[in-house]
Amino acid sequence: MSRSVLKDAILGDFSRTEDASPSSLPVTRRLRVRSVVLYAVILLLLTQLFRILGTPHSGSHTILTTAPWHAQESLYKCQALTAEHVSVEDYTSRKHSDRNVPGTKATLIANASIWTGRGGGLEILKGDILLDQGLIKRVGRVDRKLLEDYQELHHVDAEGRWVTPGIVDMHSHLGVHSSPGLQGASDGNSRKGPILPWLRAVDGLNTHDDAYKLSASGGVTTALVLPGSANAIGGQGVVIKLRPPTNRSPTGMLLESPYETNTTKYDRARSFRFRQMKHACGENPNRVYSGTRMDTAWAFREAYEKARQLKQVQDEYCAKAAQGQWAGLGEFPEDLQWEALVDVLRGRVKVHTHCYETVDLDDLVRISNEFKFPIAAFHHAHETYLVPDTLKSAYGKPPAAALFATHARYKREAYRGSEFAPKILAEAGIQVVMKSDHPVLDSRFLLFEAQQAYYYGLPHNLALSAVTTTPASVLGLDHRIGFVRQGFDADVVLWDSHPLALGATPQQVWIDGVPQLSAPRIIKKPAPFQRLPKTPNFDEEAKAALKYEGLPPLEPKASVTCTVVFANASSVFLRDAHSATGIKRVDTAQDAKSALTVVAREGKIVCVDSATSACVRAALHEKGDVEYVNLEGGSISPGLTTFGSPLGLEEIGGEISTKDGYVFDPLLGNIPTAAGGNDALVYAFDGLQFGTRNALVSYRAGVTTGIVAPLSRGFLSGVSTAFSLAAKHKLDDGAIVQETGAVHVAIHPRGAPSVSTQITALRRLLLRPSEGELGLWFDKVRNGEVPLVVEAESADIIATIISLKHEVEREVGGRVRLTITAAREAHILATELREADIGVILTPSRPFPSSWESHRILPGPPLSEKNAVRVLLDHGVTVGLGVHDADKTLNTRFDVAWAALEANETISKEEAIALVSTNVEKLLGVERESGEYELVATLGGDLLEYSKVVGVLSPRRGMVDLL
């Protein structure tokens, strides 16, 4: 072989230019210079090698006369080890995106308020955005002469509305935990061992997940799909765009695939693309592998030691290869199982660590320093706000904290989670990311997480950045996504209101310049919704969260029986049994001069009038103590009632010792004789727990009453009870609102017993007298004395229940009171439900197709004109709203406000309040005497706005709680 041939064989790839493909990315001057230098170095080494080729040496050793056959490949792999990450300049000079869809019309979004993400999230431009070739071509004022070059240009008049970068979800299981959830598409976790860095989420990515379209309709354009958290190292995540791929394949969804093997598209020797990897610590891997935190920490250290050793061997190999010392080297040393973990040590993989508690955070920080690798982010990270200095001591730079806004207390390691964590961490200089953990939270509403973080004190610029620019930066993709910037990917969202305004909904979503909403249902919201909403001050609450290490006192500051004057109220809502909704608006202040004053004594309102009225003046001159509260344009409204979660029967969802537990189910086995046998019926009243943190947090958010049924995993639940969230114990004054309410059952497809078996059991209970407590209560159901509450999702099951109701009523000759809960497909039967006089409690209020029985949801705008709430109300169905999880109860007021906003002002505030108070109680058989209900005082707005609850008036207890 000639010297020139040998040189070409070794250097062939290094001498190739980036112009090999028109789709290739531009190469920076820095990379070109480095490639030339490397070429020269290798050429010099080869020259020295050829000078001595074939020359005998004294002694017993002889120098090789030819370079090994693998030299070219081995040198290429060595060069790839030192490649740098791409730069912004590489991408902003692109003519078209590598993800451009040919034939896509250029789009001009005109007259927009543009939140660019630049300047720390403070830059706002008024102007236009030009999208073409999958890129943002212009931002600001677009030259009209430039537009003349376009034969076809789609014009969108934003009319001053807001445009932001597409939302980036940095923790999702889209496509690996698919929706609807089916056994054949559950690919999130492997249980083959605690250390699995070689697994890849892309290998399980399901392109038929129903949630892609739903999430995109909420403005999500990019998502990091991660393996689950069963393992200490669960495998490699993958970043995807949510646009349907033109080739219908998972590969077509990838953004900057690190697995690309075509070197004309991705040359690892010139620059590298970050990979993403999932780590987890704490309860999950401990539970799956029956281990302890010590076991998990050792698993990490053992794995990283293997990777460190392999990295050292590679580095030594490349040092010799660069000097032409091929003797005895062999091929480049690598191991397919451990190569990804080696890349972690080289800083080429973003490590995303599922970690909650301080002990676990400290473990991973210590391991990162021991093996010298950076951690991109701690996810869930419920205690990071307590130990920001621990994060700052991690190797490299401090990890970001990827958080839920209010989702906490569902297991022990989440118990100290705080809604003020984003604010506290940002003030400590830690990057804050809000994420969904989809489908734990529906990523369609990821923006709601940012809105809540903003409400609880995270600055507006950082709140929006937390779902756009910050996750893009943490992922190592801020050279092309996360900003509205010329040359970046054309991933933008046009919103119907300010993105931090409650209920903000996309009018259109562009991914790679391709519109994702074919026929968006657009709501025209009034001008105030285009402004950044005002929020309360929670500085003192945040300080208390730190002072008490995440468990601050939640009881009222004071509970008083004296006269309390609430001044400067803009509105007052009261319960009224004679009104259509059960709620009436007493009066409305039209301006500051006509503000209302509310006087309460012993927890009861004695007058509502102007500040100069005789009633108010008399109260102010009473003998004794008078508390004065300035509501600053706030409101008085009925306390809210929650149903659907285990609130009142548990403290920590994942800790059975803190729960009432689950009832025996007669369809799954005999109930013990000591408990009454199969004729027994359980009362939730007997298992009530008071003073739980979820109850107290919710009370401070305006939820004053809980209704709960016994917890069941089967058909029969028991009898529900209604209780006060403020009570300290069951014997406290006013603790029990109503001891017994309705009889509860659930009908779902479970395999065994079948749905038809469950229906048969219900029919028998309704038509044939039974013994014991079970017979007693079903007699009451037959006689219409108490409601029967059936939890069901599927329209088919609901239709069967409607038919059964008719059958029973014909048989017994009376009316059966029936309520359907959960009911995500109830809208399909709105007419039939009304005709059968069946009410519905939608749980949750914003539906998600988590299972096959609920896959026919009505999503609401922008995908459908109406939401399920509006459809059912339009047909005359009595509707209530509930929640599934106890920790979500505190957002009840925001849930109902969102539902009303989606209804395009067709649901009044009185109707909205009724959806989570009087309607829920009516449907669940809770009856109150007039005047025996709580009222909530809010500061700076009404209960359905970004206001702050500052007081609760409780006539039952004869006092006012000042919060």
Side-chain angles (χ1 to χ4, degrees):
M1 182 181 293
S2 68
R3 293 186 177 184
S4 61
V5 171
L6 180 59
K7 181 182 74 172
D8 289 341
I10 296 176
L11 297 177
D13 273 347
F14 298 130
S15 60
R16 182 173 56 248
T17 69
E18 281 288 337
D19 296 325
S21 167
S23 64
S24 298
L25 299 173
V27 183
T28 62
R29 182 177 182 182
R30 183 187 70 253
L31 292 176
R32 286 196 183 99
V33 169
R34 204 179 78 228
S35 295
V36 170
V37 170
L38 182 59
Y39 182 103
V41 169
I42 294 174
L43 185 58
L44 178 60
L45 289 171
L46 284 171
T47 301
Q48 295 299 320
L49 176 64
F50 283 121
R51 286 180 179 177
I52 60 174
L53 277 177
T55 304
H57 285 248
S58 60
S60 60
H61 300 285
T62 304
I63 298 297
L64 291 175
T65 57
T66 58
W69 62 268
H70 56 77
Q72 176 188 0
E73 181 180 0
S74 296
L75 287 171
Y76 179 82
K77 290 178 179 179
C78 287
Q79 184 189 16
L81 299 183
T82 61
E84 296 182 7
H85 188 238
V86 296
S87 68
V88 172
E89 290 76 16
D90 287 332
Y91 280 78
T92 54
S93 60
R94 292 177 295 171
K95 301 301 181 184
H96 60 82
S97 170
D98 54 326
R99 294 184 47 83
N100 178 48
V101 178
T104 302
K105 286 184 180 180
T107 298
L108 179 69
I109 307 171
N111 305 315
S113 299
I114 307 167
W115 185 85
T116 68
R118 304 180 73 176
L122 296 173
E123 181 182 71
I124 296 172
L125 303 178
K126 301 290 185 179
D128 315 324
I129 305 172
L130 178 62
L131 312 178
D132 187 28
Q133 299 291 307
L135 300 176
I136 298 172
K137 291 288 188 176
R138 294 288 188 278
V139 181
R141 293 299 174 186
V142 178
D143 189 344
R144 294 309 180 218
K145 291 183 179 179
L146 174 64
L147 301 180
E148 293 173 0
D149 295 336
Y150 289 92
Q151 294 182 350
E152 289 187 293
L153 182 64
H154 181 55
H155 289 262
V156 176
D157 187 356
E159 298 179 338
R161 289 179 173 80
W162 290 86
V163 173
T164 69
I167 290 176
V168 180
D169 188 356
M170 205 175 79
H171 189 133
S172 176
H173 302 292
L174 277 165
V176 294
H177 285 310
S178 298
S179 302
L182 297 168
Q183 291 182 4
S186 180
D187 291 294
N189 280 304
S190 170
R191 287 173 168 80
K192 302 298 184 183
I195 302 295
L196 302 169
W198 46 86
L199 299 187
R200 308 183 304 181
V202 66
D203 297 323
L205 193 66
N206 174 21
T207 57
H208 302 298
D209 189 336
D210 286 356
Y212 290 130
K213 181 178 180 180
L214 293 169
S215 297
S217 76
V220 180
T221 58
T222 304
L224 169 60
V225 177
L226 290 166
S229 52
N231 315 99
I233 301 180
Q236 300 167 46
V238 63
V239 180
I240 64 170
K241 292 282 192 83
L242 270 60
R243 170 177 62 78
T246 54
N247 63 3
R248 298 189 177 93
S249 75
T251 301
M253 301 183 74
L254 306 191
L255 176 60
E256 288 197 5
S257 170
Y259 311 118
E260 176 62 62
T261 56
N262 185 339
T263 56
T264 62
K265 295 181 178 179
Y266 174 34
D267 189 345
R268 290 171 173 79
R270 293 191 181 278
S271 61
F272 74 87
R273 296 171 176 176
F274 278 115
R275 283 188 282 179
Q276 318 289 327
M277 185 174 289
K278 178 69 174 290
H279 286 17
C281 53
E283 294 184 28
N284 285 19
N286 290 358
R287 181 182 65 253
V288 172
Y289 294 101
S290 301
T292 66
R293 284 177 165 82
M294 294 182 290
D295 294 307
T296 302
W298 170 247
F300 277 121
R301 296 181 66 225
E302 183 180 40
Y304 272 109
E305 176 58 19
K306 290 180 181 178
R308 187 197 63 77
Q309 292 174 6
L310 181 54
K311 175 180 178 294
Q312 181 176 337
V313 170
Q314 289 177 348
D315 292 343
E316 292 172 353
Y317 177 97
C318 290
K320 291 181 179 180
Q323 297 173 13
Q325 298 176 13
W326 294 105
L329 274 187
E331 297 181 54
F332 179 80
E334 53 192 342
D335 187 322
L336 194 58
Q337 281 193 308
W338 299 104
E339 58 82 25
L341 217 55
V342 173
D343 263 4
V344 171
L345 299 181
R346 297 190 185 281
R348 298 152 67 90
V349 178
K350 297 287 189 175
V351 173
H352 300 269
T353 305
H354 161 119
C355 256
Y356 288 77
E357 290 189 89
T358 299
V359 58
D360 300 315
L361 299 168
D362 193 59
D363 282 350
L364 263 294
V365 165
R366 190 164 53 249
I367 291 169
S368 81
N369 283 302
E370 180 180 0
F371 293 96
K372 296 180 172 52
F373 67 90
I375 300 170
F378 283 118
H379 290 239
H380 309 321
H382 282 63
E383 292 189 14
T384 50
Y385 73 100
L386 297 174
V387 289
D389 288 341
T390 297
L391 273 64
K392 292 177 182 179
S393 68
Y395 182 80
K397 62 177 291 187
L403 308 169
F404 297 123
T406 56
H407 187 35
R409 297 173 292 281
Y410 48 89
K411 54 181 175 176
R412 194 194 72 88
E413 59 189 3
Y415 191 60
R416 294 175 187 267
S418 172
E419 56 270 37
F420 309 111
K423 165 187 168 65
I424 295 169
L425 284 163
E427 290 173 351
I430 300 297
Q431 287 182 298
V432 173
V433 173
M434 308 309 297
K435 49 88 176 111
S436 73
D437 195 13
H438 180 100
V440 173
L441 301 183
D442 181 359
S443 62
R444 178 186 175 191
F445 302 108
L446 177 53
L447 185 64
F448 182 44
E449 296 299 291
Q451 292 167 356
Q452 292 174 82
Y454 169 63
Y455 170 75
Y456 286 111
L458 184 64
H460 65 91
N461 58 312
L462 298 183
L464 274 180
S465 296
V467 291
T468 53
T469 62
T470 306
S473 173
V474 174
L475 291 171
L477 289 166
D478 54 345
H479 54 276
R480 64 182 298 170
I481 63 170
F483 297 82
V484 179
R485 178 176 174 181
Q486 184 172 322
F488 273 51
D489 287 15
D491 300 346
V492 297
V493 184
L494 172 62
W495 301 93
D496 65 3
S497 52
H498 191 286
L500 291 179
L502 188 67
T505 300
Q507 292 190 334
Q508 187 54 270
V509 180
W510 288 268
I511 303 179
D512 301 321
V514 181
Q516 299 302 297
L517 304 176
S518 57
R521 276 65 173 187
I522 295 173
I523 296 174
K524 298 288 186 181
K525 292 181 178 174
F529 281 85
Q530 302 304 322
R531 297 192 288 268
L532 178 69
K534 294 182 179 179
T535 58
N537 185 298
F538 287 105
D539 287 348
E540 292 304 313
E541 289 85 347
K543 290 178 182 177
L546 286 174
K547 178 181 178 180
Y548 293 96
E549 296 192 23
L551 300 176
L554 297 173
E555 292 76 13
K557 294 178 181 177
S559 296
V560 299
T561 58
C562 65
T563 298
V564 181
V565 177
F566 295 96
N568 297 317
S570 62
S571 59
V572 175
F573 299 91
L574 301 175
R575 291 199 185 198
D576 181 7
H578 303 292
S579 68
T581 63
I583 305 293
K584 70 175 182 179
R585 190 169 189 152
V586 175
D587 205 347
T588 302
Q590 300 301 318
D591 52 52
K593 294 180 180 179
S594 57
L596 298 171
T597 299
V598 178
V599 180
R601 188 178 300 117
E602 295 183 348
K604 296 181 180 180
I605 290 182
V606 295
C607 72
V608 179
D609 213 330
S610 67
T612 57
S613 69
C615 172
V616 173
R617 288 160 56 193
L620 293 175
H621 291 87
E622 282 185 357
K623 293 182 179 179
D625 294 334
V626 176
E627 293 281 348
Y628 182 86
V629 181
N630 183 359
L631 297 182
E632 300 177 16
S635 181
I636 303 287
S637 57
L640 307 183
T641 300
T642 184
F643 169 76
S645 79
L647 187 73
L649 295 178
E650 71 173 26
E651 176 70 32
I652 303 173
E655 293 288 340
I656 195 65
S657 65
T658 72
K659 305 173 68 164
D660 176 49
Y662 296 90
V663 302
F664 290 103
D665 186 65
L667 292 187
L668 298 177
N670 290 330
I671 298 176
T673 304
N678 288 344
D679 293 322
L681 196 63
V682 175
Y683 298 87
F685 168 81
D686 293 330
L688 279 177
Q689 299 179 21
F690 290 85
T692 67
R693 296 197 72 78
N694 281 323
L696 294 175
V697 167
S698 300
Y699 187 71
R700 299 175 76 91
V703 183
T704 58
T705 302
I707 301 175
V708 66
L711 304 182
S712 172
R713 289 172 170 158
F715 165 72
L716 183 62
S717 172
V719 179
S720 55
T721 188
F723 62 98
S724 167
L725 271 61
K728 296 180 177 64
H729 52 77
K730 187 181 296 183
L731 303 181
D732 207 358
D733 287 342
I736 304 302
V737 175
Q738 186 169 307
E739 184 172 326
T740 58
V743 177
H744 293 252
V745 300
I747 300 178
H748 298 287
R750 299 184 177 95
S754 66
V755 169
S756 51
T757 300
Q758 296 170 63
I759 294 293
T760 297
L762 184 58
R763 178 182 287 111
R764 184 181 183 281
L765 289 168
L766 287 169
L767 292 177
R768 297 184 184 181
S770 302
E771 301 294 328
E773 292 292 303
L774 191 62
L776 174 66
W777 278 91
F778 270 92
D779 283 345
K780 292 182 179 182
V781 171
R782 276 192 298 275
N783 296 332
E785 297 176 39
V786 298
L788 173 65
V789 179
V790 182
E791 180 184 289
E793 300 279 17
S794 163
D796 299 307
I797 294 175
I798 294 171
T800 301
I801 294 168
I802 293 172
S803 298
L804 180 59
K805 181 177 188 288
H806 292 318
E807 178 185 346
V808 173
E809 289 177 338
R810 287 194 302 267
E811 183 77 19
V812 303
R815 172 180 173 265
V816 174
R817 296 163 62 187
L818 185 61
T819 297
I820 306 293
T821 67
R824 277 178 277 192
E825 292 189 356
H827 60 278
I828 298 172
L829 293 159
T831 299
E832 291 78 5
L833 287 166
R834 174 64 188 94
E835 291 173 349
D837 193 21
I838 297 175
V840 171
I841 299 179
L842 296 170
T843 310
S845 60
R846 293 190 294 278
F848 177 73
S850 57
S851 61
W852 186 260
E853 61 177 330
S854 61
H855 76 279
R856 293 176 290 181
I857 65 168
L858 188 66
L863 294 177
S864 63
E865 181 180 357
K866 297 181 179 180
N867 58 19
V869 177
R870 183 68 266 168
V871 168
L872 291 167
L873 288 176
D874 285 348
H875 284 80
V877 177
T878 301
V879 179
L881 302 181
V883 299
H884 270 314
D885 303 311
D887 66 303
K888 294 184 175 64
T889 304
L890 84 161
N891 284 326
T892 297
R893 61 191 185 122
F894 293 151
D895 289 343
V896 71
W898 196 299
L901 288 166
E902 283 189 333
N904 202 13
E905 297 185 311
T906 61
I907 295 178
S908 68
K909 290 202 172 182
E910 293 92 328
E911 289 175 304
I913 294 170
L915 290 172
V916 285
S917 59
T918 53
N919 286 11
V920 173
E921 293 176 9
K922 174 184 176 182
L923 292 171
L924 297 176
V926 175
E927 299 176 359
R928 294 191 189 231
E929 296 182 9
S930 177
E932 291 299 311
Y933 58 88
E934 291 80 12
L935 292 167
V936 174
T938 53
L939 176 75
D942 65 45
L943 192 57
L944 305 186
E945 299 172 337
Y946 282 165
S947 60
K948 184 177 185 179
V949 176
V950 293
V952 178
L953 293 70
S954 178
R956 290 173 57 85
R957 295 187 295 127
M959 60 182 59
V960 175
D961 288 334
L962 299 177
L963 304 176

